[in-house]
Amino acid sequence: ENNMNYVFRSLNGIFKAIQKSQQQRANYWLLHNMSDKQLKDMGICRGEIHHKVFKHRYVIYIPGGVTTL
């Protein structure tokens, strides 16, 4: 029974991580597609969008693509 609890907790953790990632992507898309005026009204400039949405993630810009850590 303890092994099953461990499996269910692990699966739940994976599900929550996927859910959080999808929500972050949706939030990024929404903000990215707003006008500069709308962003300004919210107190956000376009250059801050990625940091505001993905606070703990880093983006490395490399020729030919973007890598997220």
Side-chain angles (χ1 to χ4, degrees):
E1 185 175 319
N2 287 335
N3 287 339
M4 289 303 290
N5 286 337
Y6 175 76
V7 169
F8 287 126
R9 281 195 321 268
S10 297
L11 289 174
N12 190 38
I14 292 169
F15 174 75
K16 286 182 185 261
I18 292 170
Q19 190 176 35
K20 179 181 177 183
S21 177
Q22 291 292 82
Q23 186 62 57
Q24 287 175 318
R25 289 178 56 198
N27 292 343
Y28 180 83
W29 187 91
L30 287 170
L31 290 172
H32 183 72
N33 286 288
M34 287 183 172
S35 69
D36 289 338
K37 182 186 180 327
Q38 289 171 313
L39 291 172
K40 184 178 178 182
D41 289 345
M42 294 172 48
I44 300 172
C45 70
R46 193 158 298 282
E48 296 176 315
I49 294 173
H50 192 276
H51 177 72
K52 296 284 186 189
V53 174
F54 298 105
K55 294 173 185 154
H56 65 284
R57 296 174 73 184
Y58 299 94
V59 174
I60 300 170
Y61 294 95
I62 55 174
V66 175
T67 301
T68 304
L69 302 175

